[in-house]
Amino acid sequence: MAEATFNFPRNFVWGTASAAHQNEGNNTNNNWYAFEQANGRIQHGHKAGLAADWWGGRWREDFDRAAEAGQTAHRLSIEWSRIQPTPDRWNEDALDNYRQMVRGLRERGMTPMVTLHHFTDPLWIYERGGWMNDVSDQFALFTEKVVGAFKEYVNQWVTINEPNVYAAMGYVLGDFPPGRKNEIFNSFKVMTNLVRGHAAAYHTIHRVQQNAQVGMAHQYRGILPKRTWLPLDVGLAGMLSGLFNDFFPHAAATGVLKFPGWRYKIHHAKGTQDFFGVNYYTREYVAFHPLALLGKRSYDPNAELSDTGFIANEPLGFYDALKWANAYRLPIIVTENGVEDADDHMRPRYLAQHIHQMWRAVNFNWPIKGYYYWSLVDNFEWSFGWKYRFGLWGLDVDTQKRIKRPSAGLYAEICKENGISSEVVQKYCPEVFEKLFPS
Ligand code: IFM
């Protein structure tokens, strides 16, 4: 048996990611809470509820687990509606609770990365139309408050998580609040305002904290033509990928918003990323269809699917994502990567294969600085509710009991070794050994 290790550079960061509404519990003052109360919005009528009870203090035990498992960083988000429950009130107790969390990470030897907007909006923003309006001034005020409060502990900031997903899900697919479908022009309006919000937050952060590192977390989804010989498929895949994948990074790099057929410039958005955050999960194929606006989308019929069919295990798509990110010439951080897999059947090999692809990318000298697995402990998965289990640790939502999945052990070995060894692959996912270490 070959004995080898895919080593990562010294100081490579290994962490996990989470988000306020998905982990904290008892967030009752935002758009998602309102959405969850409406019939039929969330599968099986699930609600975020108490989630992993981080607001009640259980972050302590989960951060202990992460630190013991060799993780050196954690990405979490701050819930705007807690800090600013109404336009005219700051909640200092909530700020203090978060201060304890970010300090708690430092005390455990982990670097906090903080996301300022992760899909949720305070009700007072939502009820006035949310990001259909230019709320960048309000977002900048919230940003200023948070950065001022935590700058002693935090200097890595994600302004907005997956703005492409936020706009597409809320206004085209209807799975996120406000649950609108096929409102393409409204989604463009929201995208424009999200760029304004990001730019305002970027400049605010640098004003308050000179040494800050600021980025966005861009979800990259491989969108490939189903029939490569058919120009309609090729054109549609290119158009969708341009809008979904390139729109925000391009806007942050150049200040130019590229809509199909027209351009719009927001000057102060140019050059507003210090690092490039990539969230990668899977890739898909698209076929033109006269009755489907977004074409017919499918996974490669030969690809292995996760237990709910949500994610196809496509590690080469991760390599493509990193190559794509590298074109922006910024330090790259994998701000999310993971799979939902309650029984941990596929996760070990998904993890090993994806980290192997990241190692290939690192060996081209692409400046990849860190990797955050999504997620540390099972999270409320938006409109899919609690059926989709992404955690290294499982969560029994009724008892709050944590259940360690084998992948937690695998990831711990990777973090501690700063690499992935043939021995570890043999132990956790021998079925892909030959692929990763061909004899
Ligand atoms: O749970 C989400 C997260 O909120 C954003 N990125 C994708 C994850 C898995 O779907």
Side-chain angles (χ1 to χ4, degrees):
M1 182 181 91
E3 276 187 27
T5 302
F6 301 124
N7 289 310
F8 281 82
R10 213 159 2 109
N11 298 329
F12 193 85
V13 171
W14 296 102
T16 43
S18 61
H21 192 79
Q22 296 178 274
N23 287 81
E24 283 173 2
N26 280 336
N27 266 309
T28 56
N29 192 22
N30 67 25
N31 56 342
W32 267 93
Y33 179 78
F35 203 61
E36 287 161 32
Q37 309 314 306
N39 259 345
R41 290 301 196 180
I42 314 295
Q43 282 189 16
H44 315 287
H46 288 170
K47 295 187 164 64
L50 197 58
D53 193 25
W54 281 11
W55 204 247
R58 283 185 216 258
W59 57 266
R60 291 186 179 81
E61 53 167 298
D62 288 330
F63 290 180
D64 284 346
R65 286 186 180 94
E68 275 158 30
Q71 295 173 30
T72 53
H74 186 77
R75 172 178 168 228
L76 53 79
S77 79
I78 306 283
E79 174 61 37
W80 185 357
S81 65
R82 286 200 196 273
I83 305 296
Q84 197 178 8
T86 53
D88 52 0
R89 193 165 85 80
W90 298 110
N91 184 338
E92 297 295 335
D93 291 343
L95 272 170
D96 198 53
N97 216 3
Y98 281 120
R99 194 177 293 108
Q100 289 185 41
M101 287 167 83
V102 291
R103 192 173 55 213
L105 285 169
R106 290 282 184 202
E107 285 163 359
R108 289 165 177 77
M110 292 189 283
T111 306
M113 174 190 272
V114 168
T115 308
L116 293 159
H117 186 277
H118 194 121
F119 294 161
T120 52
D121 296 309
L123 276 177
W124 60 269
I125 290 275
Y126 182 56
E127 282 163 359
R128 298 170 184 180
W131 291 84
M132 286 275 282
N133 305 309
D134 178 0
V135 292
S136 55
D137 285 350
Q138 289 94 321
F139 187 53
L141 270 182
F142 159 68
T143 298
E144 183 176 18
K145 187 80 182 168
V146 171
V147 178
F150 305 150
K151 63 180 176 187
E152 189 184 337
Y153 304 107
V154 181
N155 80 331
Q156 239 178 5
W157 305 92
V158 170
T159 55
I160 301 182
N161 177 74
E162 298 180 353
N164 54 350
V165 172
Y166 178 93
M169 290 299 224
Y171 295 85
V172 182
L173 299 172
D175 290 332
F176 278 18
R180 310 255 190 85
K181 288 197 175 143
N182 298 326
E183 297 191 4
I184 304 292
F185 285 102
N186 283 336
S187 78
F188 290 171
K189 220 169 161 181
V190 167
M191 286 157 77
T192 305
N193 287 324
L194 287 166
V195 173
R196 291 194 174 106
H198 159 75
Y202 177 89
H203 294 296
T204 302
I205 297 170
H206 276 291
R207 184 164 45 73
V208 180
Q209 188 185 41
Q210 270 76 37
N211 70 340
Q213 293 175 300
V214 187
M216 269 194 262
H218 301 285
Q219 182 173 134
Y220 177 89
R221 189 172 173 96
I223 304 177
L224 304 172
K226 174 122 179 137
R227 295 158 294 189
T228 43
W229 46 268
L230 189 67
L232 282 170
D233 285 10
V234 175
L236 181 64
M239 197 266 282
L240 292 176
S241 183
L243 263 180
F244 189 78
N245 292 321
D246 297 310
F247 179 89
F248 285 100
H250 188 266
T254 62
V256 176
L257 285 64
K258 275 168 69 176
F259 294 104
W262 98 96
R263 304 262 188 283
Y264 181 69
K265 181 125 193 171
I266 298 179
H267 290 275
H268 65 287
K270 183 175 173 182
T272 50
Q273 289 188 111
D274 307 318
F275 66 86
F276 196 97
V278 192
N279 295 359
Y280 172 81
Y281 288 87
T282 194
R283 73 175 173 199
E284 66 182 20
Y285 293 82
V286 64
F288 174 81
H289 190 282
L291 300 179
L293 188 65
L294 305 179
K296 294 256 182 223
R297 298 154 59 208
S298 59
Y299 287 137
D300 179 340
N302 299 316
E304 178 193 23
L305 301 187
S306 58
D307 67 353
T308 66
F310 184 45
I311 286 173
N313 182 11
E314 295 276 19
L316 284 173
F318 187 32
Y319 177 83
D320 292 344
L322 295 168
K323 186 172 183 181
W324 164 83
N326 189 43
Y328 287 91
R329 299 280 165 239
L330 289 167
I332 299 167
I333 300 177
V334 178
T335 34
E336 286 180 29
N337 171 237
V339 65
E340 97 294 357
D341 184 12
D343 297 326
D344 216 41
H345 282 146
M346 177 168 125
R347 186 179 290 104
R349 57 180 169 271
Y350 179 99
L351 247 176
Q353 289 176 286
H354 282 72
I355 289 175
H356 172 233
Q357 290 303 325
M358 180 167 68
W359 173 82
R360 281 185 60 215
V362 163
N363 278 288
F364 287 115
N365 239 351
W366 302 348
I368 305 166
K369 305 295 178 193
Y371 173 93
Y372 293 70
Y373 177 80
W374 180 275
S375 58
L376 174 57
V377 56
D378 281 344
N379 54 275
F380 176 70
E381 186 52 31
W382 307 116
S383 55
F384 296 120
W386 287 103
K387 190 94 203 294
Y388 288 40
R389 300 291 184 143
F390 280 89
L392 293 175
W393 272 266
L395 171 72
D396 181 327
V397 248
D398 298 323
T399 62
Q400 284 297 319
K401 199 167 167 269
R402 272 66 172 159
I403 307 116
K404 186 174 180 181
R405 297 198 167 107
S407 291
L410 164 62
Y411 192 54
E413 299 216 32
I414 294 171
C415 298
K416 289 178 183 169
E417 174 91 28
N418 193 27
I420 177 160
S421 69
S422 46
E423 203 186 327
V424 159
V425 171
Q426 186 63 38
K427 180 166 156 199
Y428 288 94
C429 42
E431 68 282 7
V432 292
F433 187 89
E434 203 45 43
K435 276 191 184 155
L436 268 54
F437 301 95
S439 47

